[in-house]
C-alpha cells in the first residue's frame, strides 16, 4: 500500500508515481490512514475557499487541492496543496457545520493577502508573554476575532491556532517567508501523470483479460460510483459487455439515471427497506442487515439466472480496512457462482479521478455536488456531512427517513440526539462517539448504546403511509400492495397454503375491535356490544356473499377442520351408510370420516390418476345409493390439483348424496360460487384467506347437522325440561366466538374483493407457471404438479435429489429468508401413494407473492443443488 | 288482527256483525346509530332499512349513503353503523323550539342549499300528485318523481316516516335521479319543508293546503311549494319561477 503521495515541486502538481511527465522528480508527502487521497471537486473546493475567505479575507487558494480523509467524529480531512499540508476540513455533527483550520505550511502562500483572522500576541494586552515555546500551548488572549481557526503572530514568527472562549491554542510558530507558487489546474495534473495513467490502464486491462475465461461468462458489477465507472470502462476495453446494477430501492435518482445511460442492467429490488426497518430498527455500521437484504439477495437472484461468472468489480484497498487485503481474484464468500476480479484494487481515489478525467469518461453528477462516496442514500456508513448534503439536494428522500427516525426515537424513548447527531448509525457507539455523548451528558448503556431517557412508548400502529408515500408502483391486476403486509419487507413468504399473511386493513380491523369496542355479542344492549354485534353480523354477511352463499347458513368455526367435523359429527349416521372421499384429502377431510367406521359407516377412499387429478370414474363407481355424503377437496393443499367439483356434484345428485367441499385452498385463491358448484357444504379457513388465525367457515345449504356444542348463544329458550335451539347460524356458535377474528375475516374478504378474485386467480396461474418452469429447469428437481395450468392452484410440491425436504426448507429459511413448507403437508396417504416417505418441499403463493419471491426461491434451490 | 280484539261492526240501524273489520299495521320502530339509540317512531312495517337511512339523512346525522358501513335489520330495530362509528355525531336538527313558546325558529342556516333552479314542467307536478292522489284508507302517502320518470311511493301512518322512507329509497338508488318533485297526500307542514330541503327536493306539492309556517319556511329556503293539488290544478304558494307554466 502506498502511504505517500509524490508532488512535482517544479510544476506544483501531485503525481501518482515518482516521475513527472515534464521530466522532473517528485518529492514524497506523508499521507494519513487509510491513505486514500482524492481531488477536491467543485463543491468541496468552493466550501474550502469560502471558509478560508470568511476567516482570513480574500487570500489565494490553489486550484488543485487534495483531500486525505481520516478518522474523526464525523468528516475530517487533511487538505493538501502546494505539495504540503494546507489545513483541516471537518464537520461538527452537533453544530451541524463545517470548520476549517489552517496548517502553518499554508502560510507562505497566503500570508501577504491576509486581512483578518490574525491574533498578534505582540500587541495583545491580555497576553502575559512567555519564555517557553508556545507551540501546543494554550494561552489567555483578549483578541476580538471570533472563535475558530486563526493565524498567530509572535516575535516575527507566524503560526496557526484555535481561539475559543478567550484562550488561544497555538499549533506551532515558524518563520514564514512569503512565496508565490505556480497555480496549475487539473488539466496540468492530468498531463504530468499521463504516462502513469496509460500504464495503470494497460495493467488493469491485462488483469481483466487474464481472468475472462475463468468462468463461462463475465460481467461488471456496476454501482454508479466513480470506481465502478472506471472499472466499467476498463472492462469494456478488455471486451466485457455485460454490466449489472443492483437497485436497493435506496438509490439516488441521479444514480439510476446515470446507470441506465451507461447501459447497465438494473436488477430490481426484492425487499423493501422502509417496510423492513419498521421491524428491524435502523441499520448500523455494526449492524448492516440492510446490505444482506438489499444487495446480497438480489445478487443471488441475478447470478442464478446468469450462472457461474467472472464479475469485474471496482473494490479498492484504500476504501476500508476489510478491503485492504483484497487479491486480484476472490471467490464471493456469499455466492459460489461468482469469481470477483478487482483490477483497480491498488488504485487510490486520486488515480481513479485522474483516469476518469484523462479518458473524459462521464461520471455520476452527484460527485460534483459534494458527495465523496455514493451508494444507498441512507447507508449507515455515510457521514453526517454527506447526510446534510442529501438533505440539501433531495429533501424528499431525507424527509421520509427522518419521519421514520423521529417516530423510532420517540417510541424507543431515546433522546433527540439519537437522530439529530446521526447516532443511529451505530448499534454500539465507537469511542469517539462515546466521548461526544459524555461531553454532552448523554447516558449510555454498558454496551455503549444510547440509553433511553423515557420508557419506550407503547407500540402504536405505523402512521398512515399517506404521510410519506413511497413511489407508487402501478397496481398490477390481481396483486395486493406488498406494503400492506408488514412481514414482506424482509421475508420471502411462500407458505400461504398453510397460513396466509394478513394485510394492514385486517390487522387494523382486529386492533380497532380490541382497542375501541371490545365487547361480547348477542343480547347486550350497551353501545359497544351493539357495535361488536353488528360488525360480527356484517362479517358473516360479507363472507356469505363472497362465496355466493346467500340463502344458506354460514357458520363461523375455528378453521376448516372444525367445520368439517361439525358435519361429520352432526349428521345422524346409520350402520351401512357410505361416505366417499379421496386420497387427495388433507387429514382434516379424511380423519373425521374414518372415525365414522366405528359407527358402522363404510368409508371409501377414491384414488387419483397419474396426472395427480381425482379419478372421476373411480369416484362415479364408488358412489352408490347408500352413499350419504361425498367429501372432496376443491384443490389439493399438497400437489395443487383442482377437483372438478361440478362433475362430482352431478354424480352426487344422481345418487341423492350430499356433497361436502373442502374449500380451504380454493376460496382464498379463486372465485367460488357454492350454487354453481352444487355443494351442500363448503368448509374453508379464514387464516388462509388473509384473515386472522382461529377463524373458519362452514356454509350449509340446509342447516341439517346437530350443533357440535351446546350452550350460551346457541339457544332461543331454556326450560326445566329442555331447550329450543336458536334459529340461523347462532345455534352452531355456542359460547363466545372469535369476535375480533370474524371481524378481521370480514375485512379480509373486503380486501380480496377489492383486488378481484378473477384477477387474483389469473395472476396466480401465471406466477405458478413461472415457478413450475423455473423448477423444471433445475437439475435434480422432481416436480409434483398437474401439467395443465388451468387445473392447478399456486401450490407447487417438489423434491430435490439427495436432500431431505426439511433440509431444503431449512436452508432456504436460514440463507435466504425464504419460507416454504416441507414434509407431508397433513396428507400422509397421498404422500404414500406418490411414493414419497419424506414428503415434499412445498412453495405456495398468494396475491402478495411476486416474481422476485419466486426468483429468490429458485436461486436458493440452485444453491442447494450446487452445494450437494 | 290482535287476539285480544273482538271487533263488532255496528250498522246505521243498530245491527251488529263481527266480520269485515280492518286494522292497520303499526310497528314500534327503533333506530340505532353506531350503537346508540337514535330515535323511535311508530310506522307501518315497510322497508325499514330505507326508513332508517331516510331518517338519518333528514335528521342530518349523515350526509350521504356512502358514510354507511352496514345496515342491520333486527326485528323492529334497524342498526346502522357508519364507516367511522367512533366519530361523535351532533344532531344538526334545524327545528329549534323557541323560548318564547312558539316554534319560532326553523333555522335554515344549517340546511344545505337547494339545487340551483332547474325548471320543472307543469305536467311533472301533476304526475307527482297522481302518485299520492288516493292513499289507502287511514294512511298518508308520500312520493318522489324524478325528471326521468323514476318514482317511489310510501304509504304510512304519518307523513314524516312516509317521506323519510322515500328519501331513503332514493339514496340507495345507484342512478342519480334529479329534477325530483315531492308529493304528499293531505298537507305540507314546516317539518316536511325542512326534510325536503335537506334531501335536495326543490319542489313539494300536496293534495291539501299547506300550513302557514310551511309557506313561510318554503319562501325563506327557496322551495317551490304547491298545494290544493289534483288533476284540476294546484296552487303555487312560493317560488313559481321554478315552474314552466
Ligand atoms: Zn514537473
Amino acid at each position: 500500500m502506498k502511504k505517500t503521495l509524490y508532488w512535482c515541486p517544479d510544476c506544483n502538481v501531485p503525481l501518482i508515481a515518482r516521475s513527472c511527465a515534464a521530466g522532473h522528480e517528485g518529492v514524497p508527502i506523508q499521507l494519513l490512514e487509510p491513505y486514500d487521497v482524492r481531488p477536491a471537486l467543485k463543491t468541496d473546493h468552493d466550501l474550502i475557499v469560502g471558509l478560508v475567505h470568511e476567516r482570513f479575507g480574500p487570500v489565494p487558494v490553489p486550484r488543485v487541492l487534495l483531500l486525505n480523509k481520516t478518522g474523526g467524529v464525523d468528516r475530517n480531512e487533511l487538505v493538501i496543496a502546494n505539495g504540503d499540508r494546507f489545513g483541516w476540513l471537518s464537520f461538527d455533527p452537533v453544530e451541524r457545520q463545517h470548520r476549517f483550520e489552517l496548517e502553518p505550511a499554508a502560510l507562505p502562500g497566503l500570508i501577504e493577502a491576509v486581512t483578518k483572522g490574525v491574533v498578534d500576541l505582540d500587541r495583545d494586552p491580555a497576553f502575559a508573554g512567555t519564555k517557553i515555546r508556545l507551540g501546543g500551548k494554550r494561552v489567555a488572549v483578549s483578541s476580538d476575532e471570533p472563535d475558530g481557526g486563526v493565524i498567530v503572530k509572535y516575535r516575527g514568527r507566524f503560526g496557526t491556532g484555535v481561539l475559543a472562549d478567550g484562550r488561544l491554542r497555538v499549533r506551532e510558530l515558524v518563520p514564514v517567508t512569503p512565496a508565490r507558487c505556480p497555480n496549475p489546474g487539473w488539466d496540468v495534473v492530468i498531463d504530468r501523470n499521463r504516462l502513469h495513467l496509460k500504464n495503470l490502464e494497460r495493467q488493469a486491462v491485462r488483469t481483466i483479460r487474464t481472468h475472462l475465461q475463468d468462468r463461462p461468462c463475465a460481467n461488471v458489477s456496476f454501482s454508479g460510483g466513480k470506481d465502478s465507472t472506471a472499472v466499467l470502462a476498463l472492462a469494456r476495453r478488455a471486451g466485457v459487455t455485460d454490466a449489472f446494477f443492483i437497485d436497493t430501492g435506496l438509490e439516488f435518482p441521479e444514480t439510476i439515471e446515470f446507470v441506465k445511460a451507461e447501459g447497465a442492467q438494473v436488477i430490481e429490488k426484492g425487499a423493501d427497506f422502509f417496510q423492513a426497518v419498521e421491524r428491524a430498527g435502523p441499520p448500523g455500521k455494526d449492524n448492516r442487515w440492510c446490505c444482506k437484504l438489499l444487495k446480497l439477495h438480489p445478487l443471488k437472484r441475478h447470478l442464478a439466472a446468469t450462472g457461474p461468472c467472472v464479475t469485474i468489480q471496482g473494490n479498492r484497498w484504500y476504501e476500508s480496512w476489510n478491503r485492504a487485503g483484497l487479491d486480484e481474484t476472490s471467490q464471493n464468500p456469499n455466492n459460489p457462482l461468482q469469481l470477483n476480479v478487482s483490477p483497480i484494487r491498488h488504485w487510490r481515489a486520486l488515480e481513479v479521478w485522474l483516469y476518469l478525467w484523462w479518458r473524459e469518461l462521464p461520471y455520476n453528477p452527484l460527485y460534483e455536488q459534494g458527495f465523496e462516496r455514493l451508494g444507498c442514500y441512507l447507508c449507515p456508513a455515510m457521514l453526517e456531512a454527506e447526510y446534510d448534503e442529501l438533505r440539501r439536494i433531495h429533501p424528499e428522500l431525507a424527509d421520509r427517513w427522518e419521519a421514520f427516525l423521529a417516530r423510532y426515537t420517540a417510541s424507543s424513548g431515546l433522546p433527540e440526539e439519537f437522530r439529530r447527531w446521526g447516532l443511529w448509525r451505530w448499534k454500539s457507539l465507537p469511542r469517539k462517539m462515546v466521548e461526544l455523548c459524555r461531553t454532552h451528558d448523554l447516558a449510555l448503556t454498558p454496551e455503549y448504546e444510547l440509553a433511553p431517557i423515557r420508557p419506550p412508548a407503547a407500540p402504536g400502529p405505523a402512521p398512515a403511509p399517506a404521510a410519506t408515500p413511497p413511489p407508487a408502483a402501478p397496481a398490477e391486476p390481481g396483486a395486493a400492495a406488498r406494503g400492506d403486509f408488514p412481514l414482506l419487507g424482509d421475508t420471502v413468504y411462500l407458505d400461504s397454503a398453510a397460513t396466509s399473511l394478513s394485510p394492514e386493513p385486517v390487522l387494523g380491523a382486529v386492533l380497532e375491535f380490541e382497542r375501541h369496542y371490545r365487547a361480547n355479542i348477542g343480547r347486550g344492549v350497551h353501545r359497544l356490544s351493539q357495535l361488536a354485534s353488528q360488525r360480527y353480523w356484517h362479517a358473516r354477511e360479507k363472507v356469505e356473499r363472497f362465496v355466493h352463499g346467500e340463502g344458506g347458513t354460514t357458520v363461523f368455526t375455528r378453521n376448516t377442520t372444525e367445520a368439517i367435523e361439525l358435519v361429520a359429527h352432526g349428521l345422524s349416521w346409520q350402520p351401512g351408510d357410505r361416505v366417499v372421499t379421496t386420497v387427495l384429502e388433507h387429514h382434516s377431510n379424511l380423519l373425521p370420516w374414518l372415525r365414522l367406521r366405528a359407527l358402522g359407516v363404510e368409508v371409501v377412499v377414491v384414488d387419483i390418476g397419474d396426472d395427480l387429478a381425482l379419478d372421476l370414474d373411480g369416484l362415479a363407481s364408488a358412489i352408490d345409493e347408500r352413499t350419504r355424503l361425498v367429501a372432496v377437496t376443491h384443490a389439493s393443499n399438497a400437489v395443487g390439483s383442482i377437483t372438478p367439483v361440478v362433475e362430482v356434484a352431478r354424480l352426487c345428485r344422481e345418487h341423492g348424496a350430499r356433497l361436502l367441499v373442502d374449500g380451504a385452498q380454493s376460496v382464498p385463491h379463486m372465485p367460488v360460487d357454492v350454487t354453481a358448484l352444487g355443494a351442500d357444504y363448503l368448509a374453508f379457513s379464514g387464516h388462509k384467506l388473509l384473515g386472522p388465525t382461529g377463524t373458519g367457515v362452514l356454509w350449509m345449504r340446509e342447516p341439517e347437522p346437530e350443533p357440535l356444542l351446546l350452550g350460551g348463544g346457541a339457544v332461543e329458550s331454556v326450560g326445566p325440561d329442555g331447550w329450543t335451539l336458536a334459529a340461523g347460524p347462532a345455534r352452531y356458535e355456542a359460547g363466545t366466538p372469535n369476535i375480533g377474528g370474524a371481524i378481521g375475516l370480514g375485512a379480509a374478504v373486503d380486501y380480496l374483493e377489492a383486488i378481484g378474485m378473477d384477477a387474483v386467480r389469473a395472476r396466480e396461474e401465471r406466477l405458478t407457471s413461472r415457478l413450475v418452469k423455473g423448477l423444471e429447469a433445475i437439475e435434480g428437481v422432481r416436480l409434483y404438479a398437474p401439467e395443465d395450468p388451468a387445473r392447478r392452484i399456486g401450490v407447487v410440491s417438489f423434491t430435490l435429489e439427495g436432500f431431505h425436504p426439511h433440509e431444503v426448507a431449512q436452508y432456504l429459511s436460514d440463507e435466504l429468508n425464504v419460507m416454504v413448507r416441507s414434509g407431508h403437508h397433513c396428507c400422509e396417504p397421498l404422500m404414500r401413494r406418490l411414493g414419497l416417505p419424506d414428503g415434499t418441499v412445498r412453495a405456495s403463493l398468494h396475491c402478495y407473492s411476486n416474481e422476485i419471491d419466486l426468483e429468490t426461491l429458485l436461486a436458493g434451490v440452485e444453491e442447494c443443488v450446487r452445494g450437494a | 288482527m290482535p287476539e285480544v280484539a273482538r271487533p263488532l261492526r255496528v250498522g246505521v240501524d243498530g245491527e251488529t256483525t263481527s266480520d269485515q273489520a280492518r286494522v292497520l299495521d303499526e310497528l314500534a320502530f327503533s333506530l340505532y346509530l353506531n350503537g346508540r339509540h337514535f330515535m323511535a317512531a311508530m310506522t307501518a312495517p315497510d322497508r325499514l332499512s330505507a326508513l332508517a337511512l331516510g331518517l338519518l339523512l333528514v335528521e342530518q346525522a349523515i350526509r350521504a349513503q356512502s358514510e354507511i358501513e352496514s345496515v342491520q335489520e333486527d326485528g323492529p330495530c334497524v342498526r346502522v353503523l357508519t364507516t367511522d362509528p367512533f366519530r361523535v355525531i351532533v344532531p344538526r336538527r334545524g327545528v329549534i323550539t323557541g323560548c318564547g313558546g312558539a316554534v319560532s325558529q326553523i333555522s335554515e342556516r344549517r340546511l344545505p342549499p337547494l339545487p340551483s333552479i332547474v325548471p320543472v314542467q307543469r305536467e311533472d307536478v301533476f304526475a307527482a300528485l297522481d302518485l299520492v292522489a288516493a292513499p289507502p284508507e287511514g294512511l298518508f302517502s308520500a312520493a318522489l318523481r324524478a325528471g326521468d320518470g323514476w318514482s317511489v311511493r310510501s304509504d304510512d301512518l304519518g307523513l314524516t316516516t312516509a317521506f323519510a322512507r322515500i328519501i331513503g329509497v332514493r339514496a340507495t338508488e345507484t342512478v342519480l335521479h334529479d329534477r325530483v318533485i315531492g308529493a304528499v297526500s293531505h298537507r305540507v307542514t314546516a317539518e316536511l319543508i325542512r326534510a325536503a330541503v335537506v334531501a335536495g327536493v326543490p319542489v313539494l306539492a300536496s293534495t291539501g293546503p299547506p300550513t302557514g309556517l310551511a309557506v313561510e319556511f318554503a319562501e325563506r329556503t327557496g322551495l317551490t311549494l304547491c298545494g290544493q293539488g289534483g288533476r284540476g290544478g294546484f296552487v303555487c304558494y312560493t317560488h313559481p319561477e321554478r315552474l314552466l307554466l
Side-chain angles (χ1 to χ4, degrees), chain A residues 150-278:
Chain A
V150 291
I151 293 173
V152 184
K153 195 176 162 197
Y154 184 54
R155 293 186 181 164
R157 291 172 166 237
F158 286 92
T160 58
V162 181
L163 195 61
D165 302 325
R167 290 174 68 80
L168 174 71
R169 187 167 53 79
V170 183
R171 243 186 222 283
E172 204 180 342
L173 285 173
V174 290
V176 169
T177 317
R180 288 199 188 202
C181 309
N183 188 12
W186 283 103
D187 50 334
V188 180
V189 182
I190 292 160
D191 177 72
R192 300 300 190 268
N193 282 288
R194 62 185 190 273
L195 302 175
H196 299 311
L197 291 169
K198 181 96 205 143
N199 214 10
L200 280 177
E201 179 182 77
R202 200 181 304 126
Q203 278 176 21
V205 170
R206 195 188 308 129
T207 303
I208 297 170
R209 288 211 175 112
T210 308
H211 297 289
L212 273 191
Q213 310 303 327
D214 290 1
R215 296 285 153 91
C217 66
N219 49 36
V220 179
S221 166
F222 187 60
S223 72
K226 63 179 190 313
D227 301 336
S228 65
T229 303
V231 152
L232 181 63
L234 293 164
R236 288 197 165 147
R237 281 177 181 271
V240 181
T241 49
D242 286 353
F244 66 89
F245 167 85
I246 293 169
D247 179 1
T248 58
L250 294 175
E251 306 294 339
F252 288 101
E254 289 88 346
T255 300
I256 299 276
E257 203 174 306
F258 175 62
V259 164
K260 288 186 175 155
E262 289 297 297
Q265 184 192 347
V266 176
I267 314 292
E268 237 184 294
K269 72 174 179 131
D272 184 85
F273 176 82
F274 278 101
Q275 213 176 332
V277 78
E278 295 287 347

Side-chain angles (χ1 to χ4, degrees), chain A residues 512-513 516-517 523-528 530-531 533-535 537-538 542, chain B residues 32 34-37 69-73 79-86:
Chain A
E512 191 189 37
F513 165 73
H516 296 295
Y517 63 99
R523 301 279 177 241
V525 298
H526 65 74
R527 189 165 53 84
L528 300 188
Q530 288 202 36
L531 283 178
S533 302
Q534 185 158 352
R535 284 261 167 92
W537 160 84
H538 197 206
K542 290 176 188 177
Chain B
Y32 291 83
N34 294 334
R36 295 172 197 270
H37 188 252
E69 179 183 294
S70 67
V71 180
Q72 181 183 15
E73 279 193 34
R79 302 175 196 279
V80 176
L81 276 196
T82 63
T83 50
D84 182 8
F86 306 105

Side-chain angles (χ1 to χ4, degrees), chain B residues 32-163:
Chain B
Y32 291 83
L33 178 62
N34 294 334
R36 295 172 197 270
H37 188 252
F38 187 79
M39 68 186 294
M42 305 314 288
T43 176
D46 173 27
R47 290 169 286 180
L48 295 184
S49 292
L51 173 58
L53 179 56
L55 286 170
L56 291 174
L57 285 167
V58 164
E59 296 299 322
Q60 291 177 280
I62 61 170
R63 284 193 185 79
Q65 205 249 340
S66 59
E67 289 176 32
I68 289 179
E69 179 183 294
S70 67
V71 180
Q72 181 183 15
E73 279 193 34
D74 181 8
C77 300
V78 170
R79 302 175 196 279
V80 176
L81 276 196
T82 63
T83 50
D84 182 8
F86 306 105
R87 182 170 60 96
V88 176
I89 293 174
V90 181
R92 294 162 57 87
R93 209 151 201 271
V95 180
I96 300 162
T97 8
C99 40
V103 180
S104 56
Q105 287 295 317
I106 300 178
S107 168
E108 67 261 33
R109 275 186 302 120
R110 288 182 176 172
L111 300 180
L114 274 174
S116 59
I117 293 173
V118 180
V120 296
Q121 300 283 346
R122 182 181 74 242
E123 270 312 310
D124 290 334
V125 179
F126 285 124
L129 280 167
D130 281 350
L131 294 168
V132 297
E137 197 183 354
L139 296 179
F140 295 78
S141 291
L144 291 177
R145 189 175 182 283
D148 58 9
W150 172 88
S151 70
V152 58
R153 192 179 95 174
S154 165
D155 306 320
D156 205 337
L157 300 169
L159 273 180
T160 311
T161 46
F163 193 74

Side-chain angles (χ1 to χ4, degrees), chain A residues 8-13 15 19-25 192:
Chain A
C8 175
D10 302 280
C11 306
N12 196 22
V13 293
L15 299 172
S19 64
C20 164
H24 311 118
E25 175 107 342
R192 300 300 190 268

Side-chain angles (χ1 to χ4, degrees), chain A residues 283-336:
Chain A
K285 284 190 195 190
D286 50 349
N287 176 29
R288 281 210 205 176
W289 55 262
C290 45
C291 277
K292 183 169 180 191
L293 184 65
L294 301 174
K295 286 195 176 154
L296 299 187
H297 288 177
L299 180 64
K300 283 192 179 190
R301 273 192 285 122
H302 181 59
L303 295 182
T306 58
C309 63
V310 169
T311 295
I312 322 294
Q313 62 178 17
N315 295 13
R316 298 184 297 110
W317 291 338
Y318 299 89
E319 285 177 281
S320 62
W321 296 117
N322 53 7
R323 289 188 175 174
L326 192 65
D327 289 327
E328 187 167 296
T329 62
S330 53
Q331 183 62 52
N332 180 343
N334 296 304
N335 204 307

